[in-house]
Amino acid sequence: MPPLRALVEDGHHVAVVVTRPDRRRGRGGALEPSPVKAAAIDLGLRVTERVDDVIDAGVELGVVVAFGRLIKPHVLDKVPMVNVHFSLLPRWRGAAPVERAILAGDRETGVCIMRLEEGLDTGPVYDREVVAIGEEETVAQLRDRLVDTGTRLLLRRLRAGLGDPEAQVGEPTYAAKLDPDELHLDWQLPAVELHRTVRLGRAWTTFRGKRLLVLRGRLATGGPEPPGSLDGLVVGCGDGGGLELVEVQPEGRGAQAAAAWRNGARPSPAERLGD
């Protein structure tokens, strides 16, 4: 259950919801609200795009989830806030903690309920829970589980009282927002690294000069040579391993089973992905 709806259904009063402005989407370019705004309106809540509006809204505590902007000190001085952060702080402070945990090959991540400070995810922690990362788990699947865990932790703390937070301990690492180039599949890399990239969604390579999205894949026991070569649905990788294509999306077309794509494209033995 998403945190906003869970707060309301749990009996907590929400005075105002702050979210990003409406964005233009689709061919017609019509303005559409964010999912958070749509949910807030459905729940009959006041919505604003200005963080400063919370100062005079009569709120006692702010709850921040994946907001994407730093809250300025003059707001925090008036309204204390907690943040639901999807990592085990101080590891993976920043904008893309779930993606960075998968890319780094972390075996576990988690959720922290922390006190919001002016710094980037630097505040002390009220509660945390460890979540194991599945070897085949995608970023979307992992994020869904973290949302469920974070919602449960948040409600537990709000019911029982926040208590005294504990300072973060350890060497911080930072989760910078992903650059699209980081989703490019370089077949010279080891298979396990390429598989992690595919698990993030929208990973891409090229075939016959056009972009080919690799939406799903799985590790194979070995792959053909040289890297980028195809043996059935298995692509050779730089370490001698292989990545089996499961679902792809050719440029200008919809997603499809990799087997259907290969049957239609009929790559020759000399053709390679990435050329």
Side-chain angles (χ1 to χ4, degrees):
M1 182 185 298
L4 177 60
R5 186 174 296 276
L7 284 171
V8 175
E9 294 183 357
D10 196 57
H12 293 278
H13 177 66
V14 180
V16 60
V17 175
V18 183
T19 186
R20 60 171 170 76
D22 296 352
R23 293 181 179 176
R24 297 191 182 277
R25 298 181 182 275
R27 293 183 179 179
L31 285 172
E32 293 187 7
S34 70
V36 171
K37 181 176 180 179
I41 292 173
D42 181 58
L43 292 166
L45 303 175
R46 176 188 169 196
V47 183
T48 181
E49 300 165 5
R50 289 170 28 88
V51 178
D52 283 23
D53 288 345
V54 306
I55 295 176
D56 299 318
V59 299
E60 298 178 0
L61 179 72
V63 175
V64 179
V65 184
F67 188 54
R69 286 185 283 165
L70 293 177
I71 309 296
K72 299 294 181 64
H74 73 279
V75 178
L76 294 174
D77 288 342
K78 299 290 185 180
V79 181
M81 297 192 182
V82 297
N83 182 29
V84 183
H85 186 77
F86 296 151
S87 82
L88 296 174
L89 293 167
R91 185 164 179 79
W92 302 131
R93 294 174 176 173
V98 186
E99 292 87 343
R100 294 297 173 189
I102 288 177
L103 275 182
D106 291 358
R107 293 182 179 271
E108 63 182 26
T109 183
V111 178
C112 285
I113 308 296
M114 55 169 283
R115 187 174 71 200
L116 206 63
E117 296 182 342
E118 183 182 3
L120 181 63
D121 300 325
T122 58
V125 175
Y126 294 102
D127 207 346
R128 70 174 63 211
E129 185 168 320
V130 176
V131 174
I133 302 176
E135 293 183 359
E136 297 287 337
E137 194 166 26
T138 67
V139 69
Q141 292 167 337
L142 178 56
R143 186 179 287 113
D144 284 347
R145 292 204 295 127
L146 292 171
V147 167
D148 289 343
T149 299
T151 300
R152 177 167 45 77
L153 282 182
L154 175 64
L155 293 178
R156 183 174 75 189
R157 275 296 170 181
L158 291 179
R159 293 185 192 117
L162 291 174
D164 296 323
E166 297 182 357
Q168 297 180 26
V169 177
E171 185 68 24
T173 60
Y174 292 90
K177 185 178 178 180
L178 284 179
D179 187 285
D181 286 343
E182 292 183 82
L183 297 177
H184 173 232
L185 297 170
D186 179 354
W187 300 105
Q188 300 291 336
L189 294 175
V192 66
E193 293 185 23
L194 295 167
H195 182 233
R196 292 172 190 161
T197 302
V198 170
R199 289 162 59 199
L200 300 184
R202 308 295 293 180
W204 62 277
T205 184
T206 54
F207 180 70
R208 295 176 183 166
K210 294 185 177 182
R211 185 167 292 205
L212 179 70
L213 298 183
V214 180
L215 303 178
R216 289 192 296 135
R218 50 178 168 251
L219 290 173
T221 54
E225 292 286 351
S229 299
L230 275 165
D231 180 4
L233 297 177
V234 177
V235 189
C237 305
D239 62 347
L243 181 71
E244 181 183 354
L245 305 179
V246 176
E247 185 179 14
V248 300
Q249 183 175 351
E251 186 174 324
R253 300 174 63 184
Q256 58 190 266
W261 165 78
R262 195 184 194 289
N263 289 339
R266 296 183 181 277
S268 71
E271 289 184 296
R272 290 191 293 172
L273 297 185
D275 284 351

